Amino acid sequence: MSTTNKEEKVVDVSTENIYRLNGRVPLKKAIPFGLQHVLAMFVSNLAPVLIVCSAALVRGTGEHLTSAEITQLLQCAMFVAGIGTCMQLYPVWKIGSGLPIVMGVSFTFLGSLLVICTNPELGYEGMVGAVILGGIFEGLVGLSARYWKRFLTPVVSACVVIAIGLSLLSVGMDSWGGGSGVADFGAWYHLVVGAFTLIVCLVARYLLKGVYKNLNVLVGLILGYLLAIIFTVAGIAPMVDFSGITKTVQEVGVFSLPKLVFLTSHKPIFDLGAFLTIAIVFLVSAAETTGATSAVCTGALDREIKMEELQGSLAVDGFSSALSGCFGCLPLTSFSQNVGLVAMTKVVNRVA
């Protein structure tokens, strides 16, 4: 075989492996597809932390967390999301599905967490304790999935998947308008940047060649961010707060290590009432993760979900949430937008 044919064969195998769960893919090809997933989940991963921790009270004082503490919790949110995703991708014992599922901080718990953390007798510390106990509870429920899976019929799973898809419509429209609750919601510059991003995604889908056409979302996100920065620098519209970035660096530093909550002044409080409040929501999160895991299998792998995959996925959903609580952060769950990205691109490679 000639050298040229060998090179063509290597390229073909590399391209084909990006669509395989366990295929070997070079880093220069894997990193862009992985970065696309990070950008797709980035804002949604941080928003719940900002909402809950900005409202949280320090137990017994009536004071709120400082801006530096909230910044460190944002850091922890990305850190534990990465660990949770790795747990899904590369199972240990029965914990992990081995599927391309991205984990992140969940919006599902927003209401119950706000009730707990704004209670002066529980506060932030009571919320963290509830997250740790609730995560362990869901992890144990996940490991026992084979005993209750028969009650979760395909109709139930299908309803959950449809509900996840429909719920993303409002999230997308809120983001297009500038973000839920912002003072300038629906301003022309938010709509222009959103429309520009969508158009770039669609055009890139047709202009890019081969496997790289599946990076159209990444291209749209990058150019959308650049347009927002240009609007801000040119004084057209205030879309990026550079002063906030400077203040954060001054308070926390450019680099810092995530801290376990047990080593801070906000040690968790374990309250039965708070646990029972959040345990119910963890069951809802389990149903959401069941739907997301099923969607990956049927939408990207063209097969039914295996019991070991469901069991491992739910176990990670719970135990990674408990780990997140140990870092003072909120519960994790599978991210529907990333499931949709996998189903759309068919890129299921775990390395990517």
Side-chain angles (χ1 to χ4, degrees):
M1 183 182 293
S2 65
T3 303
T4 304
N5 289 338
K6 286 182 180 179
E7 291 176 352
E8 290 177 352
K9 185 177 181 181
V10 171
V11 172
D12 290 340
V13 170
S14 173
T15 301
E16 188 177 342
N17 280 348
I18 202 75
Y19 301 109
R20 291 178 177 173
L21 196 60
N22 299 309
R24 294 185 63 183
V25 179
L27 284 179
K28 66 179 181 181
K29 181 173 290 186
I31 288 176
F33 285 101
L35 182 60
Q36 183 170 245
H37 277 285
V38 174
L39 291 179
M41 61 84 73
F42 193 87
V43 174
S44 297
N45 191 56
L46 301 181
V49 179
L50 282 172
I51 295 171
V52 173
C53 294
S54 296
L57 298 174
V58 177
R59 182 175 180 266
T61 66
E63 299 178 353
H64 294 278
L65 297 174
T66 66
S67 59
E69 288 173 330
I70 293 175
T71 300
Q72 289 171 336
L73 290 175
L74 293 175
Q75 173 196 34
C76 290
M78 294 306 299
F79 182 70
V80 295
I83 293 177
T85 302
C86 289
M87 290 169 67
Q88 282 286 20
L89 291 169
Y90 300 100
V92 176
W93 187 52
K94 296 182 180 181
I95 302 175
S97 63
L99 298 174
I101 297 174
V102 173
M103 304 295 293
V105 177
S106 175
F107 271 99
T108 307
F109 296 83
L110 215 57
S112 59
L113 292 178
L114 284 171
V115 169
I116 297 172
C117 73
T118 54
N119 184 333
E121 296 182 0
L122 296 172
Y124 171 74
E125 291 83 355
M127 180 196 75
V128 171
V131 170
I132 294 173
L133 292 179
I136 295 173
F137 166 70
E138 190 195 354
L140 296 176
V141 169
L143 292 177
S144 61
R146 64 176 67 254
Y147 300 107
W148 52 262
K149 174 63 170 66
R150 63 181 181 276
F151 300 111
L152 204 63
T153 64
V155 174
V156 175
S157 298
C159 290
V160 172
V161 173
I162 292 173
I164 291 172
L166 293 176
S167 69
L168 290 178
L169 293 176
S170 61
V171 175
M173 294 311 295
D174 282 342
S175 298
W176 198 323
S180 179
V182 297
D184 57 350
F185 183 84
W188 68 268
Y189 43 86
H190 290 309
L191 301 179
V192 168
V193 171
F196 172 77
T197 303
L198 176 61
I199 292 171
V200 170
C201 289
L202 295 174
V203 172
R205 175 73 179 179
Y206 290 97
L207 292 183
L208 295 175
K209 302 299 182 183
V211 69
Y212 293 104
K213 67 171 55 180
N214 291 321
L215 290 174
N216 62 315
V217 175
L218 175 62
V219 175
L221 286 169
I222 292 175
L223 294 184
Y225 275 117
L226 287 176
L227 181 60
I229 292 172
I230 291 172
F231 275 11
T232 303
V233 174
I236 299 174
M239 302 194 71
V240 181
D241 183 10
F242 293 105
S243 63
I245 298 173
T246 304
K247 183 180 179 182
T248 299
V249 172
Q250 290 174 345
E251 292 179 338
V252 183
V254 177
F255 298 100
S256 63
L257 295 175
K259 297 179 180 178
L260 288 168
V261 72
F262 304 100
L263 302 178
T264 69
S265 58
H266 303 298
K267 294 177 175 58
I269 301 298
F270 299 102
D271 180 81
L272 180 60
F275 162 69
L276 293 176
T277 300
I278 206 171
I280 299 173
V281 189
F282 267 106
L283 294 178
V284 176
S285 177
E288 182 179 350
T289 298
T290 299
T293 309
S294 300
V296 168
C297 292
T298 56
L301 300 176
D302 298 320
R303 62 170 175 79
E304 293 297 318
I305 187 174
K306 299 176 183 177
M307 175 53 66
E308 294 77 13
E309 292 170 338
L310 174 61
Q311 195 169 266
S313 182
L314 292 175
V316 168
D317 203 46
F319 292 129
S320 66
S321 294
L323 178 64
S324 179
C326 290
F327 282 95
C329 207
L330 280 57
L332 305 183
T333 193
S334 56
F335 262 27
S336 302
Q337 58 266 48
N338 294 88
V339 171
L341 194 59
V342 170
M344 180 180 72
T345 64
K346 302 295 184 182
V347 175
V348 296
N349 185 260
R350 293 194 297 171
V351 174

